[in-house]
Amino acid sequence: MGIRIVGIGSYTPERVLTNKDLEKMVDTSDEWISTRTGIKERRIAADNEFTSDLAVKAAQRAMEMAGVSPEEIDVITVASITNDRVFPSTACFVQKKIGAANAVCFDVQAACSGLLYSLEVANNMLKGSSKYKTFLVIGAEKLSTIVDWQDRNTCVLFGDGASALLLKKTDDDKECILSTNLGSDGNYTDILHLPAGGSAMPASHETIDQRLHYLKMGGREVFKLAVNAMVSSCHKALAEANVKASDLAWLVPHQANLRILQAVAERLEMPVDNVYVNVNKYGNTSAASIGIALDEMLRGGKIHKGDLILLTAFGGGLTWASTLLRWC
Ligand SMILES: CC(C)(COP(=O)(O)OP(=O)(O)OC[C@H]1O[C@@H](n2cnc3c(N)ncnc32)[C@H](O)[C@@H]1OP(=O)(O)O)[C@@H](O)C(=O)NCCC(=O)NCCS
């Protein structure tokens, strides 16, 4: 028995918000944003377009690529920090909208590492039980709803989007996921978080007046922690599979900031041409970003059978994750 990624899909909303547009909203400049982050523009979902709607469009594209019908799907997970509602799960909304009547549905909360955490869940559920054969992993975010559009430190960084990976058990013994390294450090819960709206600080007039329903971040500290955590996690995932960084066809990092990507690549001694970058077009789409990158790469003919691809992510929690794939 093997496990294979049989379909990938992604969706980014139509509306483009450029750095020039942001110049009219906060005290910033295209030059500052471009040089500090590499981001030129990001996508913003329409008011009536929810996280589950973005997820559905990505999922439908993945199902179409794989030739899998909704009824065949056994499990759906959605990784997100911008769920349609606190509960029920966004995965249940997706189930209803795509008509996946036979699926078990739940959300995964690991911030920007969510898609790779979900892949580990999928890999183990598929391997561990004969009940599950087809698994839809989704990362979807409408970050524009939790970004403080008055805070120039954060609002320039994020965008909306979704991606979906469809995994299937196969009859051969080809393993698509060669190794996974996951990690978390709850000592840093307060450097990247959304303070209000949970049980620790329910919504009140005061929380709204103090703008506590928006994402807060210590950017400089996150930057350093992100680079260290991703590099160390990549080394562990490579070592577990006895693969060297020089054997990789691609490094696909979570698209947070071009400077973070470059620092990780340099420390792994990966040539920049083998590091996939699209943060310039979408900004940081959190749990969706790696899947959007993979979808672009696959449809753009950049991934070939046998390629070794290392995915790596970092996010609030703190959480980090690396997944080594052999494309098959
Ligand atoms: C946020 C980030 C881009 C800031 O870049 P930086 O080089 O670290 O910049 P600094 O924090 O040193 O800030 C430099 C100055 O620019 C200012 N600044 C911040 N945002 C600005 C903006 N959008 N436009 C203009 N100036 C800005 C700051 O106020 C600061 O001014 P000061 O020196 O007068 O206080 C960078 O730290 C980063 O990307 N961190 C990681 C964020 C991330 O990826 N988070 C998600 C992880 S999943």
Side-chain angles (χ1 to χ4, degrees), residues 223-265:
F223 191 113
K224 277 186 232 146
L225 288 162
V227 174
N228 288 337
M230 284 194 283
V231 169
S232 145
S233 174
C234 282
H235 280 310
K236 287 177 186 158
L238 288 169
E240 191 183 315
N242 202 17
V243 166
K244 296 193 288 293
S246 55
D247 297 330
L248 296 173
W250 287 105
L251 175 68
V252 186
H254 165 50
Q255 306 285 311
N257 175 327
L258 181 62
R259 284 160 56 219
I260 294 181
L261 272 59
Q262 287 168 336
V264 171

Side-chain angles (χ1 to χ4, degrees), residues 27-263:
D27 180 15
T28 191
S29 65
D30 175 32
E31 201 268 330
W32 192 96
I33 304 169
S34 302
T35 52
R36 302 288 179 122
T37 73
I39 300 165
K40 298 298 285 183
E41 57 188 45
R42 67 289 291 144
R43 300 300 181 94
I44 306 293
D47 288 347
N48 62 355
E49 202 176 23
F50 308 142
T51 296
S52 62
D53 298 315
L54 310 182
V56 162
K57 287 192 173 134
Q60 284 167 337
R61 289 174 184 175
M63 290 188 290
E64 200 178 286
M65 179 186 280
V68 164
S69 70
E71 295 79 17
E72 284 176 73
I73 298 170
D74 299 311
V75 191
I76 300 173
T77 58
V78 175
S80 185
I81 56 169
T82 48
N83 297 298
D84 286 16
R85 302 183 195 171
V86 171
F87 80 95
S89 70
T90 305
C92 280
F93 286 105
V94 172
Q95 174 191 31
K96 182 176 177 218
K97 289 178 184 179
I98 65 173
N102 302 314
V104 170
C105 305
F106 58 96
D107 289 352
V108 173
Q109 182 15 319
C112 302
S113 310
L115 194 87
L116 301 192
Y117 270 60
S118 307
L119 279 179
E120 172 79 331
V121 173
N123 198 26
N124 284 289
M125 278 179 76
L126 289 170
K127 275 186 186 159
S129 167
S130 57
K131 282 184 273 189
Y132 312 116
K133 295 184 178 64
T134 306
F135 201 121
L136 181 61
V137 165
I138 299 173
E141 300 285 8
K142 189 175 178 182
L143 294 171
S144 56
T145 57
I146 61 161
V147 160
D148 185 346
W149 294 103
Q150 295 179 12
D151 176 14
R152 69 174 184 174
N153 290 294
T154 51
C155 76
V156 302
L157 300 173
F158 299 97
D160 299 336
S163 59
L165 273 64
L166 199 53
L167 283 81
K168 225 175 173 349
K169 230 178 238 179
T170 57
D171 294 333
D172 56 36
D173 59 354
K174 282 197 181 131
E175 288 286 353
C176 169
I177 297 176
L178 300 188
S179 64
T180 300
N181 173 262
L182 304 182
S184 312
D185 189 345
N187 289 309
Y188 292 100
T189 46
D190 289 349
I191 67 162
L192 182 49
H193 69 131
L194 196 151
S199 61
M201 200 188 288
S204 65
H205 289 292
E206 218 176 25
T207 60
I208 291 170
D209 291 345
Q210 293 174 9
R211 308 186 74 74
L212 295 175
H213 294 272
Y214 294 120
L215 177 155
K216 313 284 176 202
M217 180 180 70
R220 235 178 274 182
E221 201 181 358
V222 169
F223 191 113
K224 277 186 232 146
L225 288 162
V227 174
N228 288 337
M230 284 194 283
V231 169
S232 145
S233 174
C234 282
H235 280 310
K236 287 177 186 158
L238 288 169
E240 191 183 315
N242 202 17
V243 166
K244 296 193 288 293
S246 55
D247 297 330
L248 296 173
W250 287 105
L251 175 68
V252 186
H254 165 50
Q255 306 285 311
N257 175 327
L258 181 62
R259 284 160 56 219
I260 294 181
L261 272 59
Q262 287 168 336

Side-chain angles (χ1 to χ4, degrees), residues 256-299:
N257 175 327
L258 181 62
R259 284 160 56 219
I260 294 181
L261 272 59
Q262 287 168 336
V264 171
E266 202 173 298
R267 298 249 309 260
L268 291 172
E269 295 180 20
M270 278 293 291
V272 282
D273 287 351
N274 298 71
V275 181
Y276 195 76
V277 175
N278 65 8
V279 69
N280 51 315
K281 292 191 287 183
Y282 307 118
N284 181 344
T285 57
S286 187
S289 92
I290 288 180
I292 294 174
L294 281 175
D295 187 40
E296 276 189 0
M297 293 167 73
L298 190 61
R299 289 175 198 265

